[in-house]
Amino acid sequence: MQLFQKPARWAAAAVCALLAAAALPAGAAQAAAESATPPVPDRYRLQHLDWQPCFSGTLECATMAVPRDWYHPGAGPDLAIKVSRHRATGPGERRGVLMMAAGGPGSSGLKRPANLTGLSPKLAAAYDVVSFDQRGVGASTNVVCSDQDTVDAFFSSGDLRDRSPRAIGATFDRARAFVAQCERASGGLLPYITSDQAVHDMDLYRALLGVDRISYYGPSYATVLGAYYATEFPRRVERVVLDSTVDLTHGWQAYMTGQPASFQRRYEQDFLPWLAKNDATYHQGRMPAEAEASYERLRAALHDHPLDLEGTLVTPNHLDAAATNALYSAHDRFPEFASLMGLLQHPESASEQARKDAAEQLSPVMSAGYFADFFAVTCGDGTWRRDRRYWVDTSAEATRVHPLAGARELTFAAVCASWPTSKAPHIEPTGKGLPPVLMLNATHDPATYYEGALRVHGAIAGSRLITVDDGDHGQFQHGNACVDDRVEAYLLTGALPAKDTGCPGVPLPEPAARG
């Protein structure tokens, strides 16, 4: 089925006609089969998106009303979803709508169409590229938990590697207090900040755009939204790209507890060898083991004497968080973090502006708004074990074997172990009824680890996987021409590799000049 292609003056009529058709008995039966939710009430399906210029006029934005609970649309207050659009520029045949979503969960998606179209004139010409702030995030109805000081206490005080009974007890106490604050402050919203509810928002957005099907591109957590949307609404998608895939084949608990190993791998096999290779610039040791020892000495010094850096008290937790963030992108972040290590070792030698920049880079570890939505989704999408002893033992092993990210495991698990029991439905992407899905993943991706991507690839029948031989998180439009060409060809023409294939990674960066 082709996408609707109408002149602008007919757009409103097209939306009404499409939505009216969806209300017919056959359409209602199809919707029930695809989504297991009641028919969309008129107040949502007949609303008009009032597009206005936003973000310096590069995009248009509007606000969409959605039910708090798609399974009981008459109960509870409406939520506001902020949406954005970059209209197809042409010339040439317009393909339709390419929907995007943000990662996290907790990141804003509104500006993403401008970024994608700025880097891909071909896609900008062919598609209306659209995105949104997911429920709970940014300019949409927010989920509220606690203030920034409370969130900072999770990461800024003490040392997450501390396994003493006192430290472990404090972690569980903070987690319970945080969840209680979320329940008090959210106004009953917590059970509805889930990926399943969000994909129903996406389908209403599709309908209000006046199209029968969409194509989709999503990186990181947005791969969950893409896979879930395609599973629940398989006849509503044309082409789907999942870039750096979150593995939810066994739920968020299994995925999150799998991350410490992949962060440690990226650190030991990519970052430390690169840092040692560039010892002439960064002076952290000429061998990977020497570079790691230098990191541990700095960490121990921050443990014994936290550094007051322009008003930010830098602890070993700040260092670990900065290191894990650096592992997401070698070109953008390896040199930046290597320079940061040098500044923290010799702050007296740095300029005042450099110290201020470093303090801004280090804090906050996670913003309060992001923290709230992250846990609402990761804890609320499924079930987590609530056995305190299990998490104490499991996180102790993660801290011992994979300390860089394993030390934070107890903090994250303690929150979800205290979270209200979720009633979100289990969604199992299978690829049934879908066109072939294009997947991208790097072999050393620290966050969406390759082993998990292989499991998702195996679960989605007919998918094609492009394996990239590097460790960056997010592959499309990250400087890899092989990846970019294949993704653009698929979205523009439907062309896919005949079988799974690969792309060489981008060479690791040269060291940054140091002032």
Side-chain angles (χ1 to χ4, degrees):
M1 186 180 297
Q2 295 298 313
L3 299 175
F4 282 86
Q5 298 183 24
K6 298 288 186 181
R9 63 181 178 273
W10 296 109
V15 171
C16 290
L18 176 65
L19 292 170
L24 295 174
Q30 175 178 316
E34 291 182 337
S35 63
T37 55
V40 180
D42 286 354
R43 68 180 182 275
Y44 303 117
R45 70 182 186 87
L46 297 180
Q47 66 185 298
H48 172 71
L49 295 178
D50 182 19
W51 294 105
Q52 299 293 330
C54 57
F55 302 118
S56 302
T58 59
L59 298 174
E60 298 174 303
C61 293
T63 301
M64 177 178 73
V66 302
R68 184 179 68 169
D69 180 3
W70 277 100
Y71 296 91
H72 303 91
D78 289 350
L79 307 185
I81 304 298
K82 197 75 170 181
V83 298
S84 62
R85 174 175 70 176
H86 184 285
R87 297 298 299 269
T89 58
E93 181 182 0
R94 177 179 172 274
R95 282 221 47 80
V97 169
L98 174 62
M99 187 176 288
M100 305 178 65
S107 296
S108 171
L110 286 179
K111 294 183 181 180
R112 296 193 174 225
N115 298 334
L116 183 142
T117 55
L119 292 170
S120 180
K122 293 179 181 178
L123 295 180
Y127 282 101
D128 286 351
V129 182
V130 305
S131 191
F132 57 97
D133 273 357
Q134 184 178 339
R135 54 171 59 205
V137 173
S140 295
T141 299
N142 280 196
V143 61
V144 177
C145 283
S146 59
D147 59 23
Q148 190 62 53
D149 288 344
T150 300
V151 173
D152 287 346
F154 277 84
F155 301 102
S156 302
S157 59
D159 184 341
L160 293 182
R161 290 190 193 177
D162 184 353
R163 304 298 304 180
S164 67
R166 180 178 180 180
I168 290 171
T171 297
F172 280 101
D173 289 345
R174 281 194 297 267
R176 284 192 295 268
F178 173 76
V179 174
Q181 286 178 315
C182 290
E183 293 186 281
R184 287 194 300 269
S186 66
L189 188 57
L190 287 187
Y192 311 107
I193 304 300
T194 66
S195 301
D196 171 63
Q197 294 281 350
V199 300
H200 288 84
D201 298 342
M202 292 164 61
D203 196 57
L204 177 63
Y205 187 19
R206 171 205 58 76
L208 295 178
L209 290 168
V211 297
D212 195 41
R213 294 190 296 171
I214 59 167
S215 292
Y216 181 86
Y217 167 77
S220 194
Y221 165 68
T223 62
V224 173
L225 294 177
Y228 281 13
Y229 182 83
T231 298
E232 298 198 50
F233 301 97
R235 284 171 281 187
R236 300 301 192 194
V237 297
E238 185 175 21
R239 293 164 190 168
V240 177
V241 180
L242 305 180
D243 183 351
S244 303
T245 303
V246 172
D247 172 22
L248 292 191
T249 55
H250 294 91
W252 278 106
Q253 177 180 307
Y255 168 70
M256 294 290 290
T257 54
Q259 276 191 336
S262 54
F263 273 102
Q264 197 72 27
R265 174 174 60 194
R266 172 73 154 157
Y267 175 67
E268 292 178 354
Q269 297 184 21
D270 293 344
F271 176 70
L272 291 177
W274 174 86
L275 187 60
K277 179 181 177 182
N278 292 291
D279 179 60
T281 300
Y282 300 111
H283 312 298
Q284 301 295 335
R286 290 180 294 177
M287 300 294 291
E290 294 173 349
E292 182 175 22
S294 181
Y295 179 91
E296 291 298 326
R297 284 193 298 273
L298 173 58
R299 195 184 188 285
L302 293 173
H303 174 93
D304 295 339
H305 302 287
L307 174 64
D308 187 342
L309 192 66
E310 302 299 316
T312 295
L313 196 63
V314 182
T315 69
N317 298 334
H318 286 100
L319 184 68
D320 287 348
T324 55
N325 286 337
L327 301 181
Y328 280 77
S329 176
H331 284 78
D332 296 339
R333 303 184 190 181
F334 277 19
E336 184 180 74
F337 180 69
S339 296
L340 176 65
M341 285 182 63
L343 184 148
L344 294 177
Q345 288 161 336
H346 304 288
E348 71 286 349
S349 301
S351 68
E352 180 181 1
Q353 186 59 53
R355 292 195 301 270
K356 287 181 178 179
D357 291 345
E360 185 175 337
Q361 178 185 346
L362 289 165
S363 186
V365 171
M366 192 180 290
S367 73
Y370 186 100
F371 201 66
D373 187 74
F374 179 88
F375 283 111
V377 174
T378 57
C379 302
D381 268 1
T383 58
W384 285 67
R385 289 189 64 155
R386 297 175 179 271
D387 181 349
R388 174 170 172 152
R389 173 48 55 190
Y390 171 83
W391 286 116
V392 171
D393 293 343
T394 300
S395 62
E397 180 67 7
T399 303
R400 184 184 68 83
V401 179
H402 311 299
L404 189 66
R408 72 187 187 189
E409 183 173 288
L410 185 63
T411 294
F412 284 70
V415 173
C416 286
S418 303
W419 204 259
T421 301
S422 174
K423 296 181 180 179
H426 174 70
I427 300 171
E428 185 178 351
T430 64
K432 184 178 180 180
L434 292 178
V437 171
L438 181 62
M439 297 178 60
L440 319 168
N441 226 90
T443 54
H444 280 191
D445 188 319
T448 56
Y449 38 90
Y450 186 64
E451 298 85 349
L454 290 176
R455 285 190 287 271
V456 177
H457 174 43
I460 299 180
S463 59
R464 303 283 195 279
L465 175 64
I466 297 176
T467 296
V468 183
D469 188 20
D470 66 19
D472 280 1
H473 178 66
Q475 292 299 317
F476 181 51
Q477 296 187 331
H478 280 224
N480 190 319
C482 173
V483 169
D484 292 352
D485 289 347
R486 290 178 183 270
V487 172
E488 286 192 352
Y490 170 62
L491 289 174
L492 292 170
T493 70
L496 274 173
K499 58 182 180 179
D500 293 347
T501 188
C503 281
V506 178
L508 290 175
E510 294 297 321
R514 302 182 69 187

